[in-house]
Amino acid sequence: MRRLAEFLRSVIPADPAQLLFVIGIVCLVIAPHLRWWPSGLAVSPEHAAGWFDRQVVDIGVLLLFPIIFASVAGYFVCFWPGDHPTSRVFRMVCLPALGGFGLMLGRFLYLTKPYSSVLETTGRTAHGTNWVESLWKLPPGFHFCLIGLLFIFVFASRLAFGIAMLPLALPKSSVLKSEVDESWRWLQILIWVLVGPFFLADDVLAWLTMGIPIILSLRLPAYIQSAWFSRRTSLLECLPLVFALWIAGRQNRQVLRTLIRVPQYVYFAIAMAFPIGISVFISVCQYLLDRAAWAAHDFGRLNPPQFGSYFDLPEPWLVLLFLSAFLEETIFRGLLQPRFSQRYGLYRGIFLVGIVWAAFHFFSDFWFTRLSAQGALFKLGLRVFMCITLSFVLGWLTLRSQSIFPAVIAHGLYNVLVYSNFGPDFLGKNVVRIALWGLLALVLFRYWPVCVESEPSLEVAVAAPEPAG
């Protein structure tokens, strides 16, 4: 436990108050994709027929763009606070977020005007109402935006009094290679693009490929539920990733070239065994549990569970997911992991790459979601845990094989098996799957460790010798 605590402290910013700023930004990232209208509350009849009122109803998504801009700007300030960081935080983050929040609240007030209190979903008067309690009854989009602003305001006040600092930085003891060269600056720009502007471009592509057909067809559910929607979006997400490779800079691309090679074939077998073995293990255990329950309670009354029904074959079009897996592994294991491991050490480097990888998915994880605040927090935590555990396994594959291709195979198969819903669902299946990947990471690094060169050269990863016996 002591070693774990020391490790966690080494990956926390040198100024722990910076975590408030980061958490606030993440709340702003999530807020636009949550519910901003209470379930079961209809627009007032007085605002259901007029042309202007219909426009107010329809532009709700556009009013959220100031909050999206604030979240992207918040990531930017983390890396480049400028000479006046407090002013930059207020101008680029707080004011746009407040503006978006005010627009959405004003829209809500206007469309529910017949109610005596817009914060109440009944016709009762607001006299004597606790406003804090009323605000808590608002949808989770308001909650996350308010909490994010609160954290950012607290950090900005500390920043103004000189008891907090920017840019975001780890403790000096955690940095093995302290000099900042041009390639590291390009890598910082790449990280910012991945966690921020990447999804602004993705939103534009989504509007072109999804918004226009929706407007023309007026059949949102049918379009989203179609197979073409999933296939098209999985391909479109690859386009900005190709652009990200150009942003990385020439030196970082040279590091990447050393990892784009065909490894020993045994590593392809290992890469396939990890995701397939874990998915088969889960299905077999589920079958055995169901079979035991049938034998104990339903023997002679119902037919026994069929073994074959626990192993559904993926649809052929899911092979497209390997393209996005290839591009993600090219960036996270090919570009980021060598430099992070060289700069921060093996375990810290892999852990931090997992955090960046998780942040890369925050925008897309909450598209078309209607989660509660608790559900959003659970999904957020699950994403972080999943990316960290998979980062260690995929990082081990890359370091061992000196190639990104085994990680691509493992990552692609993981996506295919998750999207195809291999085997029946049960409560907590995702948690069990990720826990098994975490256990796998512990076993790999315990019994087949790897090491990283700490020299300033660009030769990054060297496999450790096999343990004797």
mmCIF file with all atom_site columns, all heavy atoms in Angstrom, residues 161-176:
data_model
loop_
_atom_site.group_PDB
_atom_site.id
_atom_site.type_symbol
_atom_site.label_atom_id
_atom_site.label_alt_id
_atom_site.label_comp_id
_atom_site.label_asym_id
_atom_site.label_entity_id
_atom_site.label_seq_id
_atom_site.pdbx_PDB_ins_code
_atom_site.Cartn_x
_atom_site.Cartn_y
_atom_site.Cartn_z
_atom_site.occupancy
_atom_site.B_iso_or_equiv
_atom_site.pdbx_formal_charge
_atom_site.auth_seq_id
_atom_site.auth_comp_id
_atom_site.auth_asym_id
_atom_site.auth_atom_id
_atom_site.pdbx_PDB_model_num
ATOM 1   N N   . PHE A 1 161 ? -4.155 34.658 -5.972  1.00 0.00 ? 161 PHE A N   1
ATOM 2   C CA  . PHE A 1 161 ? -3.420 35.005 -4.748  1.00 0.00 ? 161 PHE A CA  1
ATOM 3   C C   . PHE A 1 161 ? -2.020 34.387 -4.716  1.00 0.00 ? 161 PHE A C   1
ATOM 4   O O   . PHE A 1 161 ? -1.327 34.496 -3.698  1.00 0.00 ? 161 PHE A O   1
ATOM 5   C CB  . PHE A 1 161 ? -4.213 34.542 -3.522  1.00 0.00 ? 161 PHE A CB  1
ATOM 6   C CG  . PHE A 1 161 ? -5.403 35.406 -3.212  1.00 0.00 ? 161 PHE A CG  1
ATOM 7   C CD1 . PHE A 1 161 ? -6.688 34.957 -3.500  1.00 0.00 ? 161 PHE A CD1 1
ATOM 8   C CD2 . PHE A 1 161 ? -5.256 36.660 -2.648  1.00 0.00 ? 161 PHE A CD2 1
ATOM 9   C CE1 . PHE A 1 161 ? -7.798 35.747 -3.231  1.00 0.00 ? 161 PHE A CE1 1
ATOM 10  C CE2 . PHE A 1 161 ? -6.357 37.460 -2.362  1.00 0.00 ? 161 PHE A CE2 1
ATOM 11  C CZ  . PHE A 1 161 ? -7.631 37.006 -2.660  1.00 0.00 ? 161 PHE A CZ  1
ATOM 12  N N   . GLY A 1 162 ? -1.629 33.738 -5.792  1.00 0.00 ? 162 GLY A N   1
ATOM 13  C CA  . GLY A 1 162 ? -0.279 33.198 -5.879  1.00 0.00 ? 162 GLY A CA  1
ATOM 14  C C   . GLY A 1 162 ? -0.047 31.927 -5.103  1.00 0.00 ? 162 GLY A C   1
ATOM 15  O O   . GLY A 1 162 ? 1.109  31.545 -4.882  1.00 0.00 ? 162 GLY A O   1
ATOM 16  N N   . ILE A 1 163 ? -1.094 31.222 -4.682  1.00 0.00 ? 163 ILE A N   1
ATOM 17  C CA  . ILE A 1 163 ? -0.915 29.971 -3.933  1.00 0.00 ? 163 ILE A CA  1
ATOM 18  C C   . ILE A 1 163 ? -1.218 28.757 -4.810  1.00 0.00 ? 163 ILE A C   1
ATOM 19  O O   . ILE A 1 163 ? -1.324 27.636 -4.318  1.00 0.00 ? 163 ILE A O   1
ATOM 20  C CB  . ILE A 1 163 ? -1.793 29.950 -2.670  1.00 0.00 ? 163 ILE A CB  1
ATOM 21  C CG1 . ILE A 1 163 ? -3.255 30.237 -2.994  1.00 0.00 ? 163 ILE A CG1 1
ATOM 22  C CG2 . ILE A 1 163 ? -1.272 30.952 -1.652  1.00 0.00 ? 163 ILE A CG2 1
ATOM 23  C CD1 . ILE A 1 163 ? -4.169 30.192 -1.783  1.00 0.00 ? 163 ILE A CD1 1
ATOM 24  N N   . ALA A 1 164 ? -1.377 28.968 -6.095  1.00 0.00 ? 164 ALA A N   1
ATOM 25  C CA  . ALA A 1 164 ? -1.504 27.892 -7.079  1.00 0.00 ? 164 ALA A CA  1
ATOM 26  C C   . ALA A 1 164 ? -0.716 28.308 -8.310  1.00 0.00 ? 164 ALA A C   1
ATOM 27  O O   . ALA A 1 164 ? -0.361 29.486 -8.468  1.00 0.00 ? 164 ALA A O   1
ATOM 28  C CB  . ALA A 1 164 ? -2.963 27.629 -7.434  1.00 0.00 ? 164 ALA A CB  1
ATOM 29  N N   . MET A 1 165 ? -0.434 27.347 -9.171  1.00 0.00 ? 165 MET A N   1
ATOM 30  C CA  . MET A 1 165 ? 0.402  27.662 -10.325 1.00 0.00 ? 165 MET A CA  1
ATOM 31  C C   . MET A 1 165 ? -0.052 26.871 -11.544 1.00 0.00 ? 165 MET A C   1
ATOM 32  O O   . MET A 1 165 ? -0.756 25.872 -11.452 1.00 0.00 ? 165 MET A O   1
ATOM 33  C CB  . MET A 1 165 ? 1.869  27.325 -10.024 1.00 0.00 ? 165 MET A CB  1
ATOM 34  C CG  . MET A 1 165 ? 2.127  25.849 -9.725  1.00 0.00 ? 165 MET A CG  1
ATOM 35  S SD  . MET A 1 165 ? 3.858  25.528 -9.374  1.00 0.00 ? 165 MET A SD  1
ATOM 36  C CE  . MET A 1 165 ? 3.805  23.728 -9.161  1.00 0.00 ? 165 MET A CE  1
ATOM 37  N N   . LEU A 1 166 ? 0.344  27.374 -12.695 1.00 0.00 ? 166 LEU A N   1
ATOM 38  C CA  . LEU A 1 166 ? 0.191  26.741 -13.988 1.00 0.00 ? 166 LEU A CA  1
ATOM 39  C C   . LEU A 1 166 ? 1.498  26.966 -14.734 1.00 0.00 ? 166 LEU A C   1
ATOM 40  O O   . LEU A 1 166 ? 2.243  27.894 -14.412 1.00 0.00 ? 166 LEU A O   1
ATOM 41  C CB  . LEU A 1 166 ? -0.992 27.344 -14.760 1.00 0.00 ? 166 LEU A CB  1
ATOM 42  C CG  . LEU A 1 166 ? -2.404 26.898 -14.335 1.00 0.00 ? 166 LEU A CG  1
ATOM 43  C CD1 . LEU A 1 166 ? -3.457 27.692 -15.097 1.00 0.00 ? 166 LEU A CD1 1
ATOM 44  C CD2 . LEU A 1 166 ? -2.609 25.401 -14.575 1.00 0.00 ? 166 LEU A CD2 1
ATOM 45  N N   . PRO A 1 167 ? 1.864  26.157 -15.708 1.00 0.00 ? 167 PRO A N   1
ATOM 46  C CA  . PRO A 1 167 ? 1.109  25.078 -16.340 1.00 0.00 ? 167 PRO A CA  1
ATOM 47  C C   . PRO A 1 167 ? 1.088  23.801 -15.517 1.00 0.00 ? 167 PRO A C   1
ATOM 48  O O   . PRO A 1 167 ? 1.775  23.680 -14.499 1.00 0.00 ? 167 PRO A O   1
ATOM 49  C CB  . PRO A 1 167 ? 1.882  24.857 -17.653 1.00 0.00 ? 167 PRO A CB  1
ATOM 50  C CG  . PRO A 1 167 ? 3.280  25.224 -17.314 1.00 0.00 ? 167 PRO A CG  1
ATOM 51  C CD  . PRO A 1 167 ? 3.169  26.379 -16.361 1.00 0.00 ? 167 PRO A CD  1
ATOM 52  N N   . LEU A 1 168 ? 0.314  22.857 -15.990 1.00 0.00 ? 168 LEU A N   1
ATOM 53  C CA  . LEU A 1 168 ? 0.204  21.553 -15.352 1.00 0.00 ? 168 LEU A CA  1
ATOM 54  C C   . LEU A 1 168 ? 1.555  20.849 -15.399 1.00 0.00 ? 168 LEU A C   1
ATOM 55  O O   . LEU A 1 168 ? 2.195  20.767 -16.450 1.00 0.00 ? 168 LEU A O   1
ATOM 56  C CB  . LEU A 1 168 ? -0.838 20.719 -16.098 1.00 0.00 ? 168 LEU A CB  1
ATOM 57  C CG  . LEU A 1 168 ? -1.434 19.505 -15.403 1.00 0.00 ? 168 LEU A CG  1
ATOM 58  C CD1 . LEU A 1 168 ? -2.251 19.920 -14.200 1.00 0.00 ? 168 LEU A CD1 1
ATOM 59  C CD2 . LEU A 1 168 ? -2.308 18.729 -16.387 1.00 0.00 ? 168 LEU A CD2 1
ATOM 60  N N   . ALA A 1 169 ? 2.028  20.377 -14.256 1.00 0.00 ? 169 ALA A N   1
ATOM 61  C CA  . ALA A 1 169 ? 3.339  19.733 -14.197 1.00 0.00 ? 169 ALA A CA  1
ATOM 62  C C   . ALA A 1 169 ? 3.381  18.731 -13.057 1.00 0.00 ? 169 ALA A C   1
ATOM 63  O O   . ALA A 1 169 ? 2.749  18.925 -12.013 1.00 0.00 ? 169 ALA A O   1
ATOM 64  C CB  . ALA A 1 169 ? 4.437  20.776 -14.008 1.00 0.00 ? 169 ALA A CB  1
ATOM 65  N N   . LEU A 1 170 ? 4.133  17.651 -13.269 1.00 0.00 ? 170 LEU A N   1
ATOM 66  C CA  . LEU A 1 170 ? 4.341  16.648 -12.228 1.00 0.00 ? 170 LEU A CA  1
ATOM 67  C C   . LEU A 1 170 ? 5.485  17.078 -11.320 1.00 0.00 ? 170 LEU A C   1
ATOM 68  O O   . LEU A 1 170 ? 6.271  17.970 -11.663 1.00 0.00 ? 170 LEU A O   1
ATOM 69  C CB  . LEU A 1 170 ? 4.669  15.295 -12.856 1.00 0.00 ? 170 LEU A CB  1
ATOM 70  C CG  . LEU A 1 170 ? 3.557  14.619 -13.662 1.00 0.00 ? 170 LEU A CG  1
ATOM 71  C CD1 . LEU A 1 170 ? 4.039  13.266 -14.158 1.00 0.00 ? 170 LEU A CD1 1
ATOM 72  C CD2 . LEU A 1 170 ? 2.292  14.458 -12.842 1.00 0.00 ? 170 LEU A CD2 1
ATOM 73  N N   . PRO A 1 171 ? 5.608  16.453 -10.136 1.00 0.00 ? 171 PRO A N   1
ATOM 74  C CA  . PRO A 1 171 ? 6.748  16.762 -9.267  1.00 0.00 ? 171 PRO A CA  1
ATOM 75  C C   . PRO A 1 171 ? 8.065  16.516 -9.987  1.00 0.00 ? 171 PRO A C   1
ATOM 76  O O   . PRO A 1 171 ? 8.180  15.619 -10.831 1.00 0.00 ? 171 PRO A O   1
ATOM 77  C CB  . PRO A 1 171 ? 6.568  15.795 -8.082  1.00 0.00 ? 171 PRO A CB  1
ATOM 78  C CG  . PRO A 1 171 ? 5.120  15.438 -8.096  1.00 0.00 ? 171 PRO A CG  1
ATOM 79  C CD  . PRO A 1 171 ? 4.697  15.469 -9.525  1.00 0.00 ? 171 PRO A CD  1
ATOM 80  N N   . LYS A 1 172 ? 9.081  17.317 -9.661  1.00 0.00 ? 172 LYS A N   1
ATOM 81  C CA  . LYS A 1 172 ? 10.378 17.176 -10.328 1.00 0.00 ? 172 LYS A CA  1
ATOM 82  C C   . LYS A 1 172 ? 10.966 15.785 -10.135 1.00 0.00 ? 172 LYS A C   1
ATOM 83  O O   . LYS A 1 172 ? 11.668 15.272 -10.995 1.00 0.00 ? 172 LYS A O   1
ATOM 84  C CB  . LYS A 1 172 ? 11.340 18.237 -9.808  1.00 0.00 ? 172 LYS A CB  1
ATOM 85  C CG  . LYS A 1 172 ? 10.985 19.649 -10.246 1.00 0.00 ? 172 LYS A CG  1
ATOM 86  C CD  . LYS A 1 172 ? 12.023 20.658 -9.773  1.00 0.00 ? 172 LYS A CD  1
ATOM 87  C CE  . LYS A 1 172 ? 11.662 22.068 -10.241 1.00 0.00 ? 172 LYS A CE  1
ATOM 88  N NZ  . LYS A 1 172 ? 12.672 23.070 -9.777  1.00 0.00 ? 172 LYS A NZ  1
ATOM 89  N N   . SER A 1 173 ? 10.682 15.178 -8.997  1.00 0.00 ? 173 SER A N   1
ATOM 90  C CA  . SER A 1 173 ? 11.218 13.840 -8.742  1.00 0.00 ? 173 SER A CA  1
ATOM 91  C C   . SER A 1 173 ? 10.638 12.794 -9.672  1.00 0.00 ? 173 SER A C   1
ATOM 92  O O   . SER A 1 173 ? 11.185 11.696 -9.801  1.00 0.00 ? 173 SER A O   1
ATOM 93  C CB  . SER A 1 173 ? 10.939 13.437 -7.288  1.00 0.00 ? 173 SER A CB  1
ATOM 94  O OG  . SER A 1 173 ? 9.541  13.437 -7.031  1.00 0.00 ? 173 SER A OG  1
ATOM 95  N N   . SER A 1 174 ? 9.499  13.116 -10.319 1.00 0.00 ? 174 SER A N   1
ATOM 96  C CA  . SER A 1 174 ? 8.867  12.165 -11.227 1.00 0.00 ? 174 SER A CA  1
ATOM 97  C C   . SER A 1 174 ? 9.393  12.281 -12.647 1.00 0.00 ? 174 SER A C   1
ATOM 98  O O   . SER A 1 174 ? 9.069  11.450 -13.495 1.00 0.00 ? 174 SER A O   1
ATOM 99  C CB  . SER A 1 174 ? 7.345  12.380 -11.240 1.00 0.00 ? 174 SER A CB  1
ATOM 100 O OG  . SER A 1 174 ? 6.800  12.226 -9.947  1.00 0.00 ? 174 SER A OG  1
ATOM 101 N N   . VAL A 1 175 ? 10.173 13.321 -12.925 1.00 0.00 ? 175 VAL A N   1
ATOM 102 C CA  . VAL A 1 175 ? 10.639 13.587 -14.284 1.00 0.00 ? 175 VAL A CA  1
ATOM 103 C C   . VAL A 1 175 ? 12.079 13.116 -14.406 1.00 0.00 ? 175 VAL A C   1
ATOM 104 O O   . VAL A 1 175 ? 12.971 13.607 -13.714 1.00 0.00 ? 175 VAL A O   1
ATOM 105 C CB  . VAL A 1 175 ? 10.528 15.090 -14.623 1.00 0.00 ? 175 VAL A CB  1
ATOM 106 C CG1 . VAL A 1 175 ? 10.987 15.342 -16.048 1.00 0.00 ? 175 VAL A CG1 1
ATOM 107 C CG2 . VAL A 1 175 ? 9.097  15.561 -14.433 1.00 0.00 ? 175 VAL A CG2 1
ATOM 108 N N   . LEU A 1 176 ? 12.305 12.145 -15.291 1.00 0.00 ? 176 LEU A N   1
ATOM 109 C CA  . LEU A 1 176 ? 13.650 11.614 -15.499 1.00 0.00 ? 176 LEU A CA  1
ATOM 110 C C   . LEU A 1 176 ? 14.430 12.424 -16.517 1.00 0.00 ? 176 LEU A C   1
ATOM 111 O O   . LEU A 1 176 ? 15.649 12.523 -16.442 1.00 0.00 ? 176 LEU A O   1
ATOM 112 C CB  . LEU A 1 176 ? 13.571 10.153 -15.968 1.00 0.00 ? 176 LEU A CB  1
ATOM 113 C CG  . LEU A 1 176 ? 12.830 9.181  -15.038 1.00 0.00 ? 176 LEU A CG  1
ATOM 114 C CD1 . LEU A 1 176 ? 12.866 7.788  -15.626 1.00 0.00 ? 176 LEU A CD1 1
ATOM 115 C CD2 . LEU A 1 176 ? 13.431 9.202  -13.642 1.00 0.00 ? 176 LEU A CD2 1
#
